[in-house]
Amino acid sequence: MEWAFLEEDTVKAAEQLIGRHLVRRTAQGVMRVRITETEAYRGGDDPASHAHRGKTARNEPMFGEVGRLYVYLIYGMHYCMNVVAHRPGEVGAVLLRAAEPLEGLELLRANRPGVPDRSLLNGPGKLAQALGIDGSRNGDDLIGDPEADFILERHAYTGPIRATPRIGITKATELLWRFIPAD
DNA sequence: CCGGCGATCCTCT
DNA sequence: GAGGATCGCCGGC
């Protein structure tokens, strides 16, 4: 029930992930952030998606269980995190592009040394680095065990949301599949 | 504040 | 063998 929206269309799920929390527990303490920017990537009908040309070793999580993490390495040095979300039998994931800190600011800073606070979480690679997530986390279950060391939590955003073109892609730029609070 | 550029390596063709 | 769902640094305005 609680995560039923992850089994709706990937674009809908991307919109509904705005405002949810990510909780990361480490030996040093707890980090909690609020998701403020997402993008939907679907399957064969989305030319900008990793899954556009079918299943491969890399994009395999996009074809699997919703609520799992899909992590990939980009430009040889940054990790990007996605939440797998799609209708049953379909394909897709939601790229987590940005967030704001709610708890554990010192831990987030420690993972991104020398970076001003305004640049801590305002990009997909930055977000993953601040939370200490890399490729070894690919496939993690974010919704199955509330005690796990990296999870999604409820807290939906109830305010207005703006849809815009996705960032950093060259195909399907006309689709408004990026979501941010309208604030 | 904004644009250009190099870094760096995995993935798929 | 090319290119990428990016980032940080640098220079200019």
Side-chain angles (χ1 to χ4, degrees), chain A residues 17-43:
Chain A
L17 278 165
I18 295 293
R20 311 249 172 199
H21 294 185
L22 288 169
V23 181
R24 174 85 168 99
R25 303 184 179 98
T26 71
Q28 286 75 36
V30 177
M31 292 170 268
R32 175 184 295 271
V33 304
R34 174 182 173 269
I35 297 168
T36 55
E37 183 180 350
T38 63
E39 286 177 0
Y41 288 89
R42 298 205 303 208

Side-chain angles (χ1 to χ4, degrees), chain A residues 148-170:
Chain A
D149 67 0
F150 190 40
I151 61 167
L152 266 175
E153 278 192 0
R154 296 182 276 286
H155 307 100
Y157 175 72
T158 54
I161 290 175
R162 189 199 323 273
T164 82
R166 294 175 289 181
I167 305 292
I169 57 170
T170 56

Side-chain angles (χ1 to χ4, degrees), chain A residues 91-104:
Chain A
V91 180
V94 176
L95 174 66
L96 304 179
R97 288 194 56 92
E100 58 188 31
L102 295 176
E103 188 181 343

Side-chain angles (χ1 to χ4, degrees), chain A residues 9-12 14 38-55 58-59 62-63 70 72 82 85-86 90-95 164-179:
Chain A
D9 178 79
T10 306
V11 178
K12 269 291 212 193
T38 63
E39 286 177 0
Y41 288 89
R42 298 205 303 208
D45 68 335
D46 179 5
S49 168
H50 288 169
H52 178 51
R53 297 190 169 269
K55 191 191 286 192
R58 177 176 63 163
N59 67 28
M62 294 180 69
F63 292 72
Y70 167 41
Y72 63 89
N82 300 250
H86 53 77
E90 297 191 354
V91 180
V94 176
L95 174 66
T164 82
R166 294 175 289 181
I167 305 292
I169 57 170
T170 56
K171 297 166 208 153
T173 53
E174 75 283 1
L175 298 176
L176 304 182
W177 286 3
R178 171 177 175 263
F179 299 96

